[in-house]
Amino acid sequence: MTLFRSLMAGTGLSLALCAATPAFAQDDPVIVVTGSGLEETPAAPAYDTQVIDRDQLASVPSGRIEDALSGVAGFQQFRRSDSRSANASAQGATLRALGGNATSRALVLLDGVPMSDPFFGYIPFSAIAPERLAQVRVTRGGGSGPFGAGALAGTIELESAGMDSLGGFTGQALANDRGETELSASTGAQLGSGFVVASGRWDRGKGFFTTPEADRVPLSARAAFDGWSAQVRGVAPVSGDVELQVRGLAYRDERTLRFEGADSTIEGQDASVRLVGRGAWAFDALAYIQARNFTNIVVSSSRFVPVLDQRNTPATGLGGKFELRPPVGDAHVLRLGVDYRNAQGELFETAISAFSGNVTARRQAGGTNTDLGFFIEDDWTLGAMVLTAGARLDRWTIRDGFYRERDAAGVLQIDAGYPDRSGWDASFRGGLLYRANPLIALRAAAYSGLRLPTLNELYRPFVVFPVVTQANAALENERLEGFEAGVDLTPSSGVKLSLTAFDNRVKNAVANVTLGTNLRQRRNIDAIRARGLEAAASANVGRLSFDASASWTDAEARGSGFAAVLDGNRPSQTPRFVGGASLAWRPAEAWLLSATIRHVGAQFEDDRETNVLPAATTLDAYAQIPLLRDVALVLRGENLTDETIITRNQSGSIDLGVPRTVWAGVKIGL
């Protein structure tokens, strides 16, 4: 609650500043606030980037941000489930087939703030509503710029929408054929030269059975969900070229998976303050604080009673960044800066006997990770060519790690404290962009990156029955080295094509390594290497638009010693081919009809390549049909062909993804 009061106080400051801004006389210059960060630098297109615009975000057939991101080939979660039917702790985000991992290997930013959970590293996708975003920018490949630590596989930048996108009021109410509901609304107001926007969303439903019908038991449960999120954002001018941005986000999500009583929750409160200066000495100063929690009850799949109560996992994230762009001439854009992140958290859980129902052990585990990074980058424009080079130096610490276990009587059985560790790591990136003519642009880039193991990977063991996965407090940092080359074609107005070839290698990759029957441990293996091709195409011709993206990746694990058995294997949860295409038609103003087809190739559940997840092809659709001036009928369809999507297969214990689902409702404010 303290954080929430701080959040509200910060929002109040923003409103006060907005209200205090005087009205300008006719001769005064007009101050325009954008609510966004600094502009992209000239060399940004040198890296493999794809943008999802607001129209695409607002017409996602499922209404989920992770499905919008799935339109970018190479985007991958640990499993194929979305945020209604997955355990949140397994929803990491990765790019470029660099190995399925419940922890994120891609850096996800919302208005510049890292969104990964400070303890687990997962992304709270259910708290990020697509309709409140202006755009998403996905850059595949490692980076060393601001908040570069963690951008091992790439960066996903989410930008909140402002008044220019949202208008005064928008909202929608939908229900599907299972009786589930989705309600969302946003309202905003201009206050002086600034604005304030408040938005909320509430999703709830009984869900579908993730367990195949033949395997269900009387206590099998639907994947029920009940989640809400609310965001308040204020933007106000401080001077003619400096603006203040204040944002607060709060959310809670409750889910049930597989069996009655197997309930989990995530909740969080985030607050951030940002100053953006667009003058000759441009700068971006950001500070944030996050409070997160996770609970989870594990139910025995043989006796159907609770065997583990992860009753509390409080975690705190705080940090900030400062970036300065001094005036160094029209040919250069120089970026200098520093950023800091602190992640600390603690797990409290109770083990319960499946036979007696008595408590058998009480456990605690936790620690603190920090990263302080210094970065410099310069873009140099030489006619049709832009060169870029950047370096980053990180001072990291892994400290205060511990694991304690007490028996039912409270007697201490294990009291392990782990040595503090720290170090310096350097990373680099560089590239070039050459616009040969208006039709062709050539680009190339090379980079390195860093990711610290999360507190979850270091200290928390877990069970997905019957498999036990042990933690490992000795895990080393992951490091990526890679390069790529590509071509962008613009054969005519509104038509864009791109092709990228890449070779990325993650050294000391953290993987769940099989040690014995139903026993795994998190270990650093030698490397994961991913080589492949990424292609994208978009076209806007009259009222028709087309977007497509595909990736083919040859990925393999490199292992020796204990991991020699993995050498040459394809990393778990990593398909060889992913692709999709969307076709949209606007027959008249405020109308929209679209269809999306997506294919995910076969992949392995485990590191030994014993359990296969078959390929799946899905068809989704969206329709917006105006009824009145500002009111439209909305129809959405997910998996319209009712494809069987297997999301988990552990020696025949199977989970299924979303079946055919049809939504209908109304949208206000077009």
Side-chain angles (χ1 to χ4, degrees):
M1 293 303 295
T2 300
L3 177 58
F4 190 74
R5 286 194 292 269
S6 299
L7 182 158
M8 292 295 103
T11 303
L13 172 63
S14 177
L15 294 177
L17 284 170
C18 289
T21 304
F24 292 95
Q26 192 168 7
D27 294 335
D28 290 333
V30 177
I31 296 178
V32 178
V33 297
T34 66
S36 60
L38 294 176
E39 291 74 17
E40 291 293 335
T41 62
Y47 301 97
D48 187 11
T49 300
Q50 189 170 336
V51 175
I52 307 173
D53 63 30
R54 178 162 174 78
D55 285 346
Q56 292 171 298
L57 292 166
S59 59
V60 178
S62 68
R64 321 298 291 189
I65 185 62
E66 60 270 27
D67 284 338
L69 292 171
S70 295
V72 177
F75 171 79
Q76 176 188 1
Q77 297 183 85
F78 180 46
R79 291 198 168 95
R80 299 171 176 177
S81 308
D82 67 18
S83 55
R84 295 165 294 190
S85 59
N87 188 289
S89 65
Q91 291 201 275
T94 299
L95 296 163
R96 290 219 159 138
L98 288 172
N101 195 318
T103 298
S104 297
R105 284 194 169 116
L107 177 63
V108 180
L109 303 173
L110 175 59
D111 298 325
V113 176
M115 288 301 292
S116 58
D117 182 84
F119 187 92
F120 291 94
Y122 69 80
I123 307 301
F125 286 117
S126 61
I128 305 171
E131 65 273 8
R132 67 170 70 123
L133 299 176
Q135 69 169 21
V136 176
R137 184 180 182 87
V138 180
T139 302
R140 291 168 285 204
S144 59
F147 282 128
L152 201 72
T155 306
I156 300 172
E157 299 171 88
L158 313 170
E159 181 182 312
S160 293
M163 281 295 296
D164 56 339
S165 299
L166 295 173
F169 176 84
T170 60
Q172 61 182 20
L174 298 103
N176 68 20
D177 52 346
R178 291 189 296 273
E180 297 159 4
T181 57
E182 177 190 313
L183 305 174
S184 65
S186 296
T187 184
Q190 296 285 160
L191 296 177
S193 296
F195 65 83
V196 62
V197 173
S199 58
R201 177 161 166 169
W202 180 28
D203 301 273
R204 68 189 304 266
K206 63 182 180 180
F208 57 89
F209 282 105
T210 59
T211 304
E213 185 173 2
D215 297 333
R216 292 174 200 162
V217 297
L219 290 179
S220 291
R222 293 174 177 268
F225 60 95
D226 190 343
W228 62 267
S229 66
Q231 179 171 290
V232 179
R233 188 165 177 261
V235 179
V238 176
S239 66
D241 52 21
V242 178
E243 67 181 59
L244 172 68
Q245 305 171 14
V246 179
R247 181 175 59 82
L249 170 68
Y251 62 88
R252 180 178 173 84
D253 191 352
E254 303 173 2
R255 306 180 198 178
T256 299
L257 296 176
R258 299 191 190 100
F259 303 111
E260 292 182 14
D263 303 326
S264 65
T265 69
I266 61 170
E267 60 181 345
Q269 303 88 39
D270 295 5
S272 63
V273 179
R274 189 180 196 182
L275 276 173
V276 179
R278 306 181 195 278
W281 289 79
F283 65 88
D284 187 345
L286 170 70
Y288 70 89
I289 184 170
Q290 301 165 320
R292 305 284 180 84
N293 204 352
F294 169 82
T295 71
N296 186 47
I297 297 176
V298 179
V299 171
S300 166
S301 60
S302 57
R303 299 185 63 84
F304 313 110
V305 295
V307 292
L308 184 67
D309 183 2
Q310 296 170 316
R311 63 186 186 276
N312 201 18
T313 316
T316 302
L318 59 89
K321 78 162 185 179
F322 180 76
E323 177 183 339
L324 180 67
R325 299 183 184 180
V328 290
D330 294 340
H332 290 269
V333 176
L334 179 64
R335 308 172 71 184
L336 306 169
V338 58
D339 67 81
Y340 175 75
R341 273 185 280 176
N342 179 297
Q344 54 185 292
E346 189 171 349
L347 166 74
F348 298 85
E349 68 178 22
T350 302
I352 304 167
S353 169
F355 298 94
S356 66
N358 296 328
V359 172
T360 59
R362 291 184 173 88
R363 308 180 186 117
Q364 292 174 255
T368 301
N369 286 357
T370 69
D371 182 88
L372 175 66
F374 304 90
F375 61 88
I376 180 171
E377 189 166 76
D378 182 55
D379 290 3
W380 184 14
T381 301
L382 295 166
M385 179 179 292
V386 182
L387 302 176
T388 181
R392 179 182 173 91
L393 185 63
D394 286 273
R395 172 63 176 180
W396 56 267
T397 70
I398 297 174
R399 54 186 173 84
D400 303 329
F402 72 93
Y403 178 85
R404 299 190 190 103
E405 183 172 318
R406 300 177 185 271
D407 64 16
V411 177
L412 189 64
Q413 302 294 310
I414 301 174
D415 187 5
Y418 304 107
D420 293 349
R421 294 183 280 151
S422 62
W424 291 91
D425 271 313
S427 52
F428 308 91
R429 73 172 183 176
L432 66 88
L433 173 69
Y434 176 61
R435 302 186 187 278
N437 54 53
L439 276 66
I440 301 175
L442 304 175
R443 49 186 165 79
Y447 36 75
S448 58
L450 169 73
R451 184 184 78 86
L452 274 66
T454 63
L455 302 175
N456 174 55
E457 292 171 313
L458 291 164
Y459 309 122
R460 171 191 169 251
F462 70 95
V463 178
V464 179
F465 188 85
V467 179
V468 176
T469 302
Q470 300 172 337
N472 185 353
L475 288 173
E476 299 178 24
N477 298 340
E478 293 184 338
R479 182 172 180 81
L480 176 132
E481 297 176 354
F483 59 89
E484 64 188 55
V487 57
D488 298 321
L489 305 176
T490 309
S492 62
S493 177
V495 179
K496 297 180 181 179
L497 306 171
S498 71
L499 180 66
T500 303
F502 65 90
D503 189 331
N504 289 181
R505 181 193 298 263
V506 178
K507 297 182 177 180
N508 294 325
V510 177
N512 295 336
V513 177
T514 300
L515 304 180
T517 303
N518 295 329
L519 178 63
R520 298 175 184 169
Q521 186 183 38
R522 300 183 181 98
R523 294 280 187 93
N524 292 107
I525 64 173
D526 295 352
I528 292 175
R529 186 178 186 185
R531 296 168 291 183
L533 298 172
E534 293 165 341
S538 64
N540 291 279
V541 181
R543 296 184 178 275
L544 280 173
S545 62
F546 173 79
D547 290 278
S549 182
S551 69
W552 177 88
T553 310
D554 178 21
E556 63 180 15
R558 296 292 176 86
S560 59
F562 69 88
V565 70
L566 307 181
D567 194 57
N569 284 5
R570 190 167 183 82
S572 61
Q573 307 291 338
T574 303
R576 189 177 301 274
F577 176 82
V578 176
S582 296
L583 180 65
W585 178 44
R586 291 186 176 274
E589 186 69 24
W591 281 72
L592 176 60
L593 305 173
S594 68
T596 299
I597 188 169
R598 187 169 296 135
H599 177 81
V600 179
Q603 58 199 68
F604 294 102
E605 173 77 28
D606 62 322
D607 59 327
R608 296 289 182 91
E609 298 188 346
T610 55
N611 298 313
V612 178
L613 303 176
T617 303
T618 56
L619 175 66
D620 302 334
Y622 180 93
Q624 177 179 294
I625 304 169
L627 301 176
L628 301 172
R629 178 180 176 183
D630 292 317
V631 180
L633 170 68
V634 172
L635 301 173
R636 304 191 322 210
E638 303 178 61
N639 191 12
L640 290 174
T641 59
D642 205 23
E643 175 87 336
T644 299
I645 306 169
I646 297 179
T647 63
R648 184 183 69 93
N649 176 14
Q650 291 190 333
S651 301
S653 177
I654 288 174
D655 283 350
L656 302 176
V658 63
R660 180 190 296 117
T661 305
V662 178
W663 295 82
V666 294
K667 180 178 181 180
I668 301 173
L670 309 181

